[in-house]
Amino acid sequence: MTVLSTIKTDTNNIKSRHSKFLSTFTTGISIAAIGALSMTAPTLATAKTVQPSTASYNFTVEDKYNGSATRTLSKSGNVWKYNVNARVAGVASAAQNSAFTIVGNNVTPTQASTTYKLLGIGRTHKLDFNPSTNQVVSTYKGKSTTMNMAQQAFDDLSLEVQIRQDLLNGKFSGNYYMAKKNKIESTPFKKSGNTQITVPAGTFDTVRVDRIHDGDSRSTSFWLAPSLDYLPVKVSQINDGKKMDLELTKVN
Protein backbone atom coordinates (compact mmCIF):
# COMPACT_ATOMS: atom_id res chain seq x y z
CA MET A 1 0.00 0.00 0.00
CA THR A 2 1.46 3.36 -1.02
CA VAL A 3 1.48 6.53 1.09
CA LEU A 4 -0.68 8.32 -1.47
CA SER A 5 -3.35 5.61 -1.38
CA THR A 6 -3.88 6.31 2.32
CA ILE A 7 -4.73 9.99 1.75
CA LYS A 8 -8.33 10.82 0.79
CA THR A 9 -8.89 13.27 -2.00
CA ASP A 10 -11.95 14.90 -0.47
CA THR A 11 -11.12 18.61 0.02
CA ASN A 12 -12.23 18.86 3.63
CA ASN A 13 -10.26 15.78 4.61
CA ILE A 14 -7.16 17.12 2.83
CA LYS A 15 -7.40 20.40 4.74
CA SER A 16 -7.82 18.57 8.06
CA ARG A 17 -4.88 16.23 7.40
CA HIS A 18 -2.88 19.18 6.03
CA SER A 19 -3.13 21.04 9.33
CA LYS A 20 -2.42 18.05 11.59
CA PHE A 21 0.41 16.63 9.46
CA LEU A 22 2.24 19.93 9.03
CA SER A 23 2.07 20.84 12.73
CA THR A 24 4.19 17.73 13.32
CA PHE A 25 6.20 17.77 10.07
CA THR A 26 7.40 21.38 10.10
CA THR A 27 7.86 21.57 13.87
CA GLY A 28 9.84 18.35 13.88
CA ILE A 29 12.19 18.97 10.99
CA SER A 30 12.94 22.46 12.22
CA ILE A 31 13.88 20.96 15.56
CA ALA A 32 11.24 23.40 16.58
CA ALA A 33 11.74 26.13 19.05
CA ILE A 34 14.92 26.54 21.02
CA GLY A 35 15.79 29.85 22.52
CA ALA A 36 17.24 33.19 23.46
CA LEU A 37 18.85 35.31 26.17
CA SER A 38 17.64 38.76 27.21
CA MET A 39 18.70 41.48 24.77
CA THR A 40 20.45 43.24 27.65
CA ALA A 41 22.46 40.20 28.72
CA PRO A 42 26.25 40.79 28.73
CA THR A 43 28.43 38.91 26.28
CA LEU A 44 32.00 37.70 26.50
CA ALA A 45 34.56 38.51 23.82
CA THR A 46 35.98 35.03 24.35
CA ALA A 47 32.64 33.22 23.92
CA LYS A 48 32.78 29.94 22.01
CA THR A 49 30.93 29.90 18.68
CA VAL A 50 29.24 27.07 16.80
CA GLN A 51 30.98 26.07 13.58
CA PRO A 52 29.48 25.83 10.06
CA SER A 53 28.22 22.36 9.21
CA THR A 54 26.00 20.30 6.92
CA ALA A 55 23.92 17.54 8.49
CA SER A 56 21.55 14.97 7.01
CA TYR A 57 18.65 13.29 8.80
CA ASN A 58 16.02 10.62 8.34
CA PHE A 59 12.65 11.01 10.01
CA THR A 60 9.31 9.27 10.36
CA VAL A 61 5.90 10.82 11.00
CA GLU A 62 3.13 8.73 12.58
CA ASP A 63 5.32 5.63 11.97
CA LYS A 64 4.15 5.52 8.33
CA TYR A 65 5.59 8.56 6.51
CA ASN A 66 9.35 8.39 5.89
CA GLY A 67 11.35 11.43 4.90
CA SER A 68 14.77 13.06 4.80
CA ALA A 69 16.13 16.46 5.73
CA THR A 70 19.33 18.45 5.16
CA ARG A 71 20.38 21.26 7.49
CA THR A 72 23.19 23.62 6.44
CA LEU A 73 24.74 26.24 8.74
CA SER A 74 27.07 28.64 6.90
CA LYS A 75 28.82 31.97 7.40
CA SER A 76 29.76 34.75 4.97
CA GLY A 77 31.44 37.78 6.54
CA ASN A 78 29.39 38.65 9.62
CA VAL A 79 26.22 37.02 8.35
CA TRP A 80 25.22 33.50 9.31
CA LYS A 81 22.64 31.51 7.39
CA TYR A 82 20.83 28.36 8.41
CA ASN A 83 18.91 26.49 5.71
CA VAL A 84 16.73 23.39 6.14
CA ASN A 85 15.11 21.37 3.37
CA ALA A 86 12.92 18.36 4.13
CA ARG A 87 10.57 16.16 2.16
CA VAL A 88 8.34 13.12 2.28
CA ALA A 89 8.38 11.88 -1.31
CA GLY A 90 5.08 12.47 -3.08
CA VAL A 91 3.42 13.91 0.02
CA ALA A 92 5.03 16.96 1.62
CA SER A 93 8.01 19.28 1.59
CA ALA A 94 9.29 22.10 3.77
CA ALA A 95 12.01 24.73 3.44
CA GLN A 96 13.24 26.97 6.22
CA ASN A 97 15.79 29.78 6.06
CA SER A 98 17.22 32.03 8.74
CA ALA A 99 19.78 34.84 8.65
CA PHE A 100 21.42 36.22 11.79
CA THR A 101 24.59 37.53 13.40
CA ILE A 102 26.51 36.16 16.39
CA VAL A 103 28.28 38.65 18.66
CA GLY A 104 29.92 37.12 21.70
CA ASN A 105 27.34 34.58 22.86
CA ASN A 106 24.27 36.38 21.50
CA VAL A 107 22.45 35.43 18.29
CA THR A 108 20.53 38.27 16.61
CA PRO A 109 18.17 37.20 13.81
CA THR A 110 17.41 39.52 10.88
CA GLN A 111 15.17 37.47 8.56
CA ALA A 112 13.50 34.07 8.48
CA SER A 113 10.99 32.19 6.36
CA THR A 114 9.19 28.84 6.38
CA THR A 115 7.50 27.39 3.29
CA TYR A 116 5.63 24.10 3.38
CA LYS A 117 3.56 22.12 0.91
CA LEU A 118 1.29 19.11 1.32
CA LEU A 119 -0.29 17.56 -1.78
CA GLY A 120 0.39 20.80 -3.65
CA ILE A 121 -1.22 23.01 -0.99
CA GLY A 122 1.26 25.31 0.70
CA ARG A 123 1.89 28.39 2.81
CA THR A 124 4.81 30.70 3.57
CA HIS A 125 5.49 32.48 6.86
CA LYS A 126 8.08 35.28 6.95
CA LEU A 127 9.70 37.12 9.85
CA ASP A 128 11.64 40.39 9.57
CA PHE A 129 13.54 41.43 12.71
CA ASN A 130 14.56 45.03 13.41
CA PRO A 131 17.08 45.08 16.29
CA SER A 132 17.22 48.89 16.33
CA THR A 133 13.50 49.21 17.14
CA ASN A 134 13.16 45.92 19.03
CA GLN A 135 10.36 44.86 16.70
CA VAL A 136 9.62 41.91 14.44
CA VAL A 137 7.16 41.87 11.51
CA SER A 138 5.37 38.59 10.86
CA THR A 139 3.78 38.06 7.42
CA TYR A 140 1.39 35.17 6.79
CA LYS A 141 -1.44 34.77 4.27
CA GLY A 142 -0.84 38.33 3.05
CA LYS A 143 -1.29 39.85 6.51
CA SER A 144 1.56 41.58 8.36
CA THR A 145 1.68 41.92 12.14
CA THR A 146 4.23 44.08 13.97
CA MET A 147 5.26 42.77 17.38
CA ASN A 148 7.37 44.46 20.07
CA MET A 149 10.24 42.50 21.61
CA ALA A 150 10.54 43.20 25.33
CA GLN A 151 13.16 40.44 25.21
CA GLN A 152 14.97 39.02 22.20
CA ALA A 153 12.69 36.74 20.18
CA PHE A 154 13.78 34.20 17.60
CA ASP A 155 12.63 32.10 14.68
CA ASP A 156 12.98 28.31 14.88
CA LEU A 157 16.48 28.08 13.44
CA SER A 158 18.19 31.03 15.13
CA LEU A 159 16.53 29.76 18.31
CA GLU A 160 18.34 26.46 17.91
CA VAL A 161 21.67 28.21 17.38
CA GLN A 162 21.14 30.38 20.48
CA ILE A 163 20.59 27.41 22.75
CA ARG A 164 23.63 25.70 21.26
CA GLN A 165 25.61 28.86 22.03
CA ASP A 166 24.24 28.85 25.57
CA LEU A 167 25.29 25.23 26.10
CA LEU A 168 28.76 25.85 24.62
CA ASN A 169 29.31 28.78 26.98
CA GLY A 170 27.58 27.44 30.12
CA LYS A 171 24.73 29.97 29.84
CA PHE A 172 21.69 27.73 29.36
CA SER A 173 18.81 29.33 31.28
CA GLY A 174 15.70 27.53 30.02
CA ASN A 175 13.83 30.84 29.61
CA TYR A 176 13.49 31.70 25.92
CA TYR A 177 11.15 33.44 23.46
CA MET A 178 9.87 32.63 19.98
CA ALA A 179 8.25 34.89 17.36
CA LYS A 180 5.08 33.17 16.14
CA LYS A 181 2.59 34.26 13.46
CA ASN A 182 0.82 36.86 15.62
CA LYS A 183 2.55 36.90 19.00
CA ILE A 184 5.81 36.47 20.85
CA GLU A 185 5.59 33.39 23.03
CA SER A 186 7.59 32.30 26.07
CA THR A 187 9.19 28.94 25.22
CA PRO A 188 10.67 27.25 28.31
CA PHE A 189 13.09 24.31 28.22
CA LYS A 190 14.84 22.13 30.78
CA LYS A 191 17.89 19.90 30.82
CA SER A 192 16.95 16.27 31.42
CA GLY A 193 20.32 14.61 31.90
CA ASN A 194 23.14 13.10 29.85
CA THR A 195 22.97 9.86 27.89
CA GLN A 196 24.79 7.98 25.14
CA ILE A 197 22.67 7.20 22.09
CA THR A 198 23.24 5.45 18.77
CA VAL A 199 21.83 6.83 15.50
CA PRO A 200 22.71 6.00 11.87
CA ALA A 201 25.58 8.52 11.98
CA GLY A 202 27.18 6.76 14.97
CA THR A 203 27.21 6.71 18.77
CA PHE A 204 27.28 10.03 20.64
CA ASP A 205 27.39 11.30 24.19
CA THR A 206 24.46 13.73 24.40
CA VAL A 207 22.71 16.26 26.59
CA ARG A 208 18.94 15.81 26.59
CA VAL A 209 16.83 18.97 26.53
CA ASP A 210 13.02 18.90 26.80
CA ARG A 211 10.61 21.63 25.81
CA ILE A 212 8.03 22.34 28.52
CA HIS A 213 4.56 22.32 26.92
CA ASP A 214 1.22 23.35 28.37
CA GLY A 215 -0.85 20.19 28.91
CA ASP A 216 -0.05 16.55 28.28
CA SER A 217 -0.93 16.25 24.57
CA ARG A 218 2.50 17.43 23.41
CA SER A 219 6.07 16.46 24.21
CA THR A 220 9.36 17.36 22.55
CA SER A 221 12.81 15.97 23.42
CA PHE A 222 16.18 16.79 21.85
CA TRP A 223 19.46 14.89 22.19
CA LEU A 224 22.34 17.32 21.53
CA ALA A 225 25.96 16.20 21.03
CA PRO A 226 28.68 18.33 22.71
CA SER A 227 31.24 16.89 20.26
CA LEU A 228 29.25 18.48 17.39
CA ASP A 229 28.74 21.89 19.03
CA TYR A 230 25.45 20.53 20.46
CA LEU A 231 24.02 19.73 17.04
CA PRO A 232 20.78 17.71 17.45
CA VAL A 233 21.45 14.04 16.72
CA LYS A 234 17.95 12.88 17.66
CA VAL A 235 14.53 14.49 18.15
CA SER A 236 11.34 12.85 19.37
CA GLN A 237 8.01 14.70 19.36
CA ILE A 238 4.36 13.92 20.02
CA ASN A 239 1.82 16.52 18.92
CA ASP A 240 -1.86 15.73 19.53
CA GLY A 241 -1.16 12.03 19.14
CA LYS A 242 1.01 12.46 16.02
CA LYS A 243 4.52 11.13 16.61
CA MET A 244 7.68 12.30 14.85
CA ASP A 245 11.18 10.83 15.25
CA LEU A 246 14.27 12.28 13.61
CA GLU A 247 17.84 10.86 13.60
CA LEU A 248 21.17 12.10 12.28
CA THR A 249 22.54 10.07 9.34
CA LYS A 250 25.61 12.13 8.32
CA VAL A 251 27.45 15.29 9.31
CA ASN A 252 30.28 17.23 7.63
Side-chain angles (χ1 to χ4, degrees), residues 19-238:
S19 176
K20 293 178 180 179
F21 182 90
L22 285 171
S23 70
T24 300
F25 177 64
T26 59
T27 301
I29 60 92
S30 65
I31 320 296
I34 315 178
L37 293 174
S38 165
M39 291 186 295
T40 60
T43 61
L44 296 175
T46 57
K48 298 178 182 178
T49 303
V50 298
Q51 296 301 302
S53 64
T54 298
S56 300
Y57 296 83
N58 287 336
F59 63 90
T60 59
V61 179
E62 301 179 58
D63 292 325
K64 58 184 177 181
Y65 299 108
N66 297 314
S68 60
T70 300
R71 306 165 57 79
T72 302
L73 177 64
S74 61
K75 182 184 180 185
S76 178
N78 294 325
V79 178
W80 290 78
K81 292 185 178 180
Y82 207 165
N83 301 312
V84 175
N85 289 281
R87 66 191 300 267
V88 176
V91 179
S93 64
Q96 286 189 288
N97 303 282
S98 178
F100 49 88
T101 60
I102 302 177
V103 178
N105 184 60
N106 290 350
V107 177
T108 303
T110 54
Q111 292 182 322
S113 67
T114 299
T115 300
Y116 57 79
K117 291 183 179 180
L118 178 63
L119 299 179
I121 301 173
R123 297 290 185 188
T124 296
H125 177 217
K126 294 183 178 181
L127 292 168
D128 290 288
F129 296 84
N130 189 333
S132 64
T133 62
N134 295 336
Q135 291 181 321
V136 54
V137 177
S138 169
T139 303
Y140 184 66
K141 292 183 178 180
K143 179 181 178 181
S144 294
T145 302
T146 300
M147 301 174 289
N148 295 318
M149 294 188 293
Q151 293 175 296
Q152 181 66 67
F154 291 76
D155 61 275
D156 286 351
L157 299 180
S158 61
L159 222 53
E160 177 195 318
V161 175
Q162 180 63 70
I163 205 170
R164 291 171 62 186
Q165 283 290 120
D166 290 347
L167 289 168
L168 275 171
N169 292 287
K171 290 179 172 292
F172 177 81
S173 69
N175 300 314
Y176 307 115
Y177 294 86
M178 177 185 285
K180 309 290 279 189
K181 292 183 178 68
N182 57 9
K183 63 180 178 180
I184 292 176
E185 184 177 88
S186 175
T187 310
F189 288 81
K190 67 177 181 180
K191 287 184 183 178
S192 300
N194 303 330
T195 187
Q196 187 177 83
I197 65 170
T198 299
V199 295
T203 299
F204 299 89
D205 292 323
T206 66
V207 174
R208 176 175 167 176
V209 174
D210 292 315
R211 178 174 174 179
I212 302 173
H213 293 284
D214 294 330
D216 299 326
S217 64
R218 301 179 65 189
S219 66
T220 310
S221 299
F222 307 86
W223 286 264
L224 312 175
S227 63
L228 301 177
D229 294 336
Y230 293 94
L231 181 77
V233 298
K234 181 179 178 179
V235 180
S236 182
Q237 179 183 20
I238 297 176

